[in-house]
Amino acid sequence: MIQRYDVIVIGGGIVGHAIAYGLQRQHAYTAILDGGDTDFRATRGNFGLIWVQGKGVNCPPYSQLSCLASTRWPDFAQRLRAETGIDCGLSQPGGINFFLTSETLTSAIRNVSKLQLGQPGFSL
Ligand SMILES: Cc1cc2nc3c(=O)[nH]c(=O)nc-3n(C[C@H](O)[C@H](O)[C@H](O)COP(=O)(O)OP(=O)(O)OC[C@H]3O[C@@H](n4cnc5c(N)ncnc54)[C@H](O)[C@@H]3O)c2cc1C
């Protein structure tokens, strides 16, 4: 039997799944073709951090997108729980960076100050 889809997404890591999830919400009949269970995939190995500081210091659109994603996570996690019954365990208590020299601390403050300009979600 031949299956027909509106869209076939190649790769079922977080990016492929996010694209497929968005497409099916737009009523596109979508399939994901992924590798084997034992394939190395970044999605499986990552630390699970929603990290905004340091993202896009020299690229404001990247920084803005990171902040937007971070602020949208709670609604998204709630929706995923409602749709799947799975609690993804979202927790956003903030993060701690350790700096062992005053130079790296000063540089980090400079970067965060840059990111802070006009953006919610950053505080020193
Ligand atoms: C150690 C580590 C820690 C990280 N920590 C964080 C973090 O804390 N926070 C964060 O936001 N990001 C983190 N990242 C980055 C994040 O994990 C990646 O940016 C993200 O998972 C990439 O997702 P992806 O879907 O593009 O790739 P992948 O997860 O690698 O998915 C690619 C998929 O494509 C499939 N594939 C490949 N070739 C084919 C093919 N020819 N046909 C079919 N399928 C194919 C693979 O099997 C795989 O499932 C971390 C990354 C690493 C490596």
Side-chain angles (χ1 to χ4, degrees), residues 27-118:
H27 310 292
Y29 189 47
T30 306
I32 299 174
L33 297 182
D34 196 20
D37 285 347
T38 55
D39 280 3
F40 288 113
R41 40 175 72 82
T43 300
R44 183 171 161 188
N46 81 47
F47 305 127
L49 300 170
I50 299 168
W51 204 240
V52 292
Q53 60 270 47
K55 303 273 184 195
V57 171
N58 295 312
C59 181
Y62 178 26
S63 162
Q64 284 153 12
L65 199 57
S66 297
C67 283
L68 185 65
S70 175
T71 56
R72 289 191 173 180
W73 251 108
D75 281 349
F76 184 51
Q78 215 167 25
R79 196 198 309 151
L80 287 179
R81 188 165 54 240
E83 289 177 5
T84 66
I86 296 170
D87 181 351
C88 67
L90 176 71
S91 167
Q92 294 179 290
I96 297 176
N97 276 9
F98 293 96
F99 300 99
L100 302 180
T101 65
S102 56
E103 287 80 17
T104 53
L105 174 64
T106 305
S107 158
I109 290 174
R110 196 179 320 116
N111 286 343
V112 173
S113 303
K114 250 181 171 179
L115 292 170
Q116 221 174 358
L117 293 174

